[in-house]
């Protein structure tokens, strides 16, 4: 669609007191929210880079490297818009890879359903959602630790590396450690030193474009993505890129942001952004 116009604006976010500046180019025409993921991913990476610089300034080193997929056996919470994006990504894979990845998703889901892991998780998340005093973070941590101990890798983990690295969910971008990599296979509060992420795009995205199919649960697990997208036809509303960006930053900063028309921009033409 050659006549679709795009706009570019600069955003400055304060992360741990430091300004993080980003140039964002977004569609100036209505799109579904999952089309905005490249922008949200870019912003997540900018925030994470700034947090990494802060720990490196303290003389610490990031232990995470390609070929270490220890953290990719954890329960990975994703947003509704990421579930549809990942389902599309898998559909676009060539065969036989597509079928292989789908099989891994299905096997993982069957496994955790069989051991009734989701029953425990959903019960806890519901308590959290209604602010029930019996909810406890310790119980939630125990359930997610149980997931890790099952040793089931993320369906996208291949040769201990992320096979969808540029498209990985925001929460995966935010998980970095300075503690020894080998500690990640059985992490505890004492043995893991995570890079503190002061502003969490992965949490903000949970509420962007959400259609309330997930009432009572704050997020989906990665292994549910294909099943969720299969069972729930996508019915997101459409907004311009500036409106989606405003929604995202409002949740991210818990503040109201300037109305979309006041975002500084210069018009550009680009080919369709998929
Ligand atoms: S998407 Fe990639 S980084 Fe995230 S858990 Fe899966 S393999 Fe690991």
């Amino acid at each position: 669609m050659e006549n679709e116009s795009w706009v570019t604006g600069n955003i400055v976010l304060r992360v741990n007191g430091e300004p993080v500046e980003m140039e964002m180019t977004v569609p100036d025409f209505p799109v579904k929210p999952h089309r905005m993921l490249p922008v949200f991913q870019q912003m997540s990476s900018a925030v994470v880079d700034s947090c990494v610089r802060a720990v490196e300034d303290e003389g610490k080193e990031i232990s995470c490297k390609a070929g270490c997929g220890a953290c990719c056996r954890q329960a990975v919470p994703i947003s509704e818009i990421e579930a549809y994006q990942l389902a599309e990504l898998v559909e676009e894979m060539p065969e036989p890879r597509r079928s292989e990845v789908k099989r891994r998703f299905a096997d993982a889901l069957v496994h955790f359903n069989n051991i009734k892991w989701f029953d425990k998780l959903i019960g806890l998340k519901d308590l959290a959602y209604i602010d029930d005093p019996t909810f406890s973070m310790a119980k939630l941590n125990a359930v997610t630790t149980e997931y890790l101990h099952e040793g089931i890798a993320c369906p996208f983990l291949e040769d201990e590396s992320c096979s969808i690295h540029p498209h990985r969910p925001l929460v995966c971008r935010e998980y970095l450690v300075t503690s020894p990599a080998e500690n990640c296979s059985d992490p505890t509060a004492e043995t893991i030193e995570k890079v503190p992420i002061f502003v969490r795009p992965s949490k903000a995205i949970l509420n962007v474009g959400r259609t309330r199919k997930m009432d009572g649960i704050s997020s989906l697990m990665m292994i549910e993505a294909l099943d969720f997208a299969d069972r729930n036809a996508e019915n997101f509303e459409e907004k311009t890129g500036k409106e989606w960006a405003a929604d995202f930053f409002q949740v991210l900063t818990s503040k109201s942001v300037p109305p979309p028309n006041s975002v500084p921009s210069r018009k550009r033409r680009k080919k369709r952004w998929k």
Side-chain angles (χ1 to χ4, degrees):
M1 302 214 183
E2 299 216 338
N3 292 328
E4 288 173 342
S5 58
W6 293 63
V7 287
T8 296
N10 287 317
I11 296 275
V12 181
L13 202 63
R14 284 217 162 256
V15 179
N16 196 25
E18 294 297 320
V20 176
E21 192 167 349
M22 281 158 280
E23 187 185 83
M24 298 190 339
T25 299
V26 299
D28 198 19
F29 49 91
V31 291
K32 302 270 186 174
H34 47 321
R35 301 290 167 231
M36 288 293 291
L37 272 169
V39 171
F40 302 150
Q41 289 163 349
Q42 178 197 349
M43 119 84 50
S44 164
S45 295
V47 167
V48 170
D49 287 350
S50 138
C51 296
V52 166
R53 278 196 298 277
V55 295
E56 286 178 343
D57 286 349
E58 293 169 11
K60 296 179 184 168
E61 260 187 50
I62 305 298
S63 321
C64 311
K65 294 189 172 55
C68 176
C71 62
C72 301
R73 287 169 178 81
Q74 300 193 35
V76 177
I78 60 168
S79 62
E80 186 178 343
I81 68 177
E82 288 173 309
Y84 286 104
Q85 169 237 7
L86 293 172
E88 284 184 9
L89 197 66
V90 173
E91 277 311 321
E92 287 167 5
M93 288 175 178
E95 288 291 12
R97 180 147 186 260
R98 186 192 323 149
S99 298
E100 170 58 22
V101 172
K102 283 186 176 180
R103 184 192 58 73
R104 290 182 210 147
F105 267 93
D107 288 354
L109 200 53
V110 166
H111 178 85
F112 284 101
N113 275 327
N114 282 348
I115 64 167
K116 304 206 182 313
W117 182 82
F118 282 104
D119 294 352
K120 295 178 208 167
L121 178 75
I122 289 167
L124 276 171
K125 294 253 182 186
D126 285 349
L127 292 180
Y129 190 75
I130 59 169
D131 266 339
D132 188 292
T134 62
F135 171 79
S136 94
M137 231 17 233
K139 284 185 198 163
L140 182 58
N141 288 341
V143 173
T144 52
T145 300
E146 217 178 285
Y147 185 106
L148 175 72
H149 286 164
E150 291 301 307
I152 307 281
C154 169
F156 294 119
L157 188 69
E158 292 174 2
D159 298 326
E160 293 302 307
S161 289
C162 179
S163 63
I164 57 156
H165 199 258
H167 307 287
R168 69 200 187 286
L170 300 196
V171 72
C172 300
R173 291 160 202 262
E174 294 172 7
Y175 191 92
L176 291 167
V177 298
T178 52
S179 42
E182 56 272 20
N183 293 2
C184 290
S185 51
D186 192 10
T188 64
E190 294 73 40
T191 58
I192 292 294
E193 197 174 342
K194 285 193 211 165
V195 173
I197 306 294
F198 299 101
V199 177
R200 297 287 303 274
S202 66
K203 290 218 182 294
I205 205 174
L206 296 177
N207 284 312
V208 174
R210 184 169 162 172
T211 62
R212 316 307 300 177
K213 286 186 201 114
M214 293 155 51
D215 270 352
I217 311 171
S218 62
S219 53
L220 287 161
M221 290 299 129
M222 160 76 82
I223 59 169
E224 295 178 282
L226 304 195
D227 181 64
F228 176 84
D230 229 26
R231 286 187 295 107
N232 299 284
E234 180 268 285
N235 66 346
F236 289 127
E237 63 178 317
E238 293 194 338
K239 294 185 187 182
T240 66
K242 287 189 290 187
E243 289 169 324
W244 284 124
D247 285 0
F248 181 79
F249 283 105
Q250 183 155 349
V251 186
L252 187 69
T253 60
S254 307
K255 287 180 190 144
S256 99
V257 295
N261 283 344
S262 69
V263 174
S265 63
R266 55 192 149 86
K267 291 236 170 192
R268 278 184 179 172
R269 280 190 177 180
K270 284 206 166 182
K271 63 182 168 64
R272 186 168 174 73
W273 181 7
K274 196 160 179 253

